[in-house]
């Protein structure tokens, strides 16, 4: 077990709604990255937060936004949900301050948009 | 941009068979290379990694060698077990402050008793 926890584990939303997903990072880590994993695909990088600032973003529209809090936990917010947003959302915790940048993943949140 | 290509799956093997899963990459600079495993209903777990050319990562009987000349990081295991059934992802991360991971599509391995 990695110590990275995500909530909720499963979620069903209607198209057009908004959703917030949460991630608690591993103790001692200051960086959180979010990934979207569509069915049968590899995870795709959404964005990364380092010390409460966005530190890189993948090819996702602005309706995907995030926050990182002083305790390094993080939220992913998605507005105006679309059917294609249905996926497993993974959070990864790491530390950019250390030479070993291994990322530890949570179990994910399965989002279904209907 | 960076990319990772994995061989097409799925792969079905009998217990104790030899496993090879191919992975090639395209990246600028000198990326770190990883294999992650995903068991049913779970998140990703790091299986092994290599951070520079000719490094060999190993864990739980799995091995992969960072080959810069062929831009490859193939995963091998001499004798697979039923418990190795999972989805395997090859990934890379670039150097510098942004350590995002770029993943391949993954390959499903099923091991028969």
């Amino acid at each position: 077990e990695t110590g990275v926890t995500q909530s909720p584990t499963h979620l069903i939303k209607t198209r057009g709604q908004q959703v917030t997903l949460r991630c608690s990072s591993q103790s001692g880590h200051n960086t959180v990255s979010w990934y979207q994993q569509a069915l049968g695909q590899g995870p795709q990088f959404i964005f990364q937060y380092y010390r409460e600032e966005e530190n890189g973003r993948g090819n996702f529209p602005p309706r995907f936004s995030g926050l990182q809090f002083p305790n390094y936990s993080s939220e992913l917010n998605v507005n105006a949900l679309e059917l294609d947003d249905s996926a497993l959302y993974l959070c990864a915790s790491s530390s950019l301050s250390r030479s070993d940048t291994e990322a530890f993943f949570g179990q994910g949140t399965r989002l279904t948009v209907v | 941009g960076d990319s990772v290509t994995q061989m097409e799956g799925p792969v079905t093997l009998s217990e104790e068979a030899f496993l090879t899963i191919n992975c090639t990459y395209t990246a600028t600079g000198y990326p770190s290379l990883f294999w992650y495993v995903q068991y049913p209903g779970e998140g990703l777990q790091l299986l092994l990694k290599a951070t520079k050319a000719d490094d060999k990562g190993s864990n739980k009987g799995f091995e992969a060698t960072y080959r810069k000349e062929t831009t490859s990081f193939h995963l091998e295991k001499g004798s697979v077990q039923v418990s190795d059934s999972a989805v395997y992802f090859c990934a890379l991360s670039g150097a510098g402050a942004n350590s995002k991971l770029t993943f391949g599509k993954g390959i499903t391995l099923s091991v028969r008793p």
Side-chain angles (χ1 to χ4, degrees):
Chain A
E1 206 163 298
T2 65
V4 180
T5 58
Q6 292 187 241
S7 63
T9 54
H10 295 82
L11 199 53
I12 299 175
K13 287 287 190 178
T14 302
R15 191 172 49 182
Q17 285 188 314
Q18 178 267 344
V19 70
T20 298
L21 310 181
R22 294 178 176 84
C23 171
S24 295
S25 59
Q26 185 158 303
S27 177
H29 285 177
N30 55 20
T31 304
V32 172
S33 303
W34 286 92
Y35 294 82
Q36 180 195 66
Q37 185 180 10
L39 197 62
Q41 300 295 317
Q44 298 291 315
F45 176 72
I46 303 174
F47 43 56
Q48 181 182 85
Y49 278 83
Y50 171 59
R51 293 185 174 175
E52 303 178 57
E53 297 286 333
E54 187 177 289
N55 181 48
R57 187 179 184 92
N59 188 26
F60 281 81
R63 59 189 185 84
F64 285 77
S65 62
L67 283 173
Q68 187 179 33
F69 300 99
N71 65 356
Y72 302 125
S73 66
S74 177
E75 287 182 355
L76 163 66
N77 298 290
V78 187
N79 293 323
L81 284 166
E82 301 176 0
L83 297 179
D84 284 349
D85 295 334
S86 296
L88 180 68
Y89 288 85
L90 294 165
C91 160
S93 166
S94 60
S95 177
L96 287 182
S97 310
R98 298 183 346 211
S99 58
D100 183 348
T101 58
E102 178 179 338
F104 293 87
F105 283 82
Q107 301 236 15
T109 294
R110 173 75 62 188
L111 172 65
T112 302
V113 182
V114 297
Chain B
D2 296 346
S3 66
V4 175
T5 302
Q6 291 185 233
M7 60 184 276
E8 294 288 326
V11 172
T12 302
L13 296 173
S14 297
E15 204 165 24
E16 299 184 3
F18 183 83
L19 169 71
T20 299
I21 301 177
N22 290 342
C23 170
T24 58
Y25 69 90
T26 302
T28 54
Y30 302 94
S32 295
L33 302 175
F34 306 84
W35 277 100
Y36 280 86
V37 59
Q38 188 173 37
Y39 297 101
E42 298 187 11
L44 297 173
Q45 298 177 25
L46 179 64
L47 180 59
L48 53 84
K49 67 178 181 181
T51 57
K52 62 182 187 295
D54 299 325
D55 266 4
K56 177 185 283 188
S58 61
N59 186 28
K60 299 181 181 179
F62 291 90
E63 293 184 339
T65 301
Y66 189 143
R67 300 285 188 202
K68 187 164 175 57
E69 64 276 13
T70 55
T71 61
S72 65
F73 192 55
H74 304 322
L75 182 68
E76 295 182 338
K77 187 174 185 182
S79 175
V80 294
Q81 306 299 312
V82 172
S83 58
D84 294 327
S85 298
V87 182
Y88 292 81
F89 294 95
C90 184
L92 67 82
S93 74
N98 186 343
S99 59
K100 71 166 188 174
L101 288 161
T102 299
F103 287 88
K105 287 187 176 180
I107 186 168
T108 300
L109 170 65
S110 298
V111 180
R112 300 184 300 240

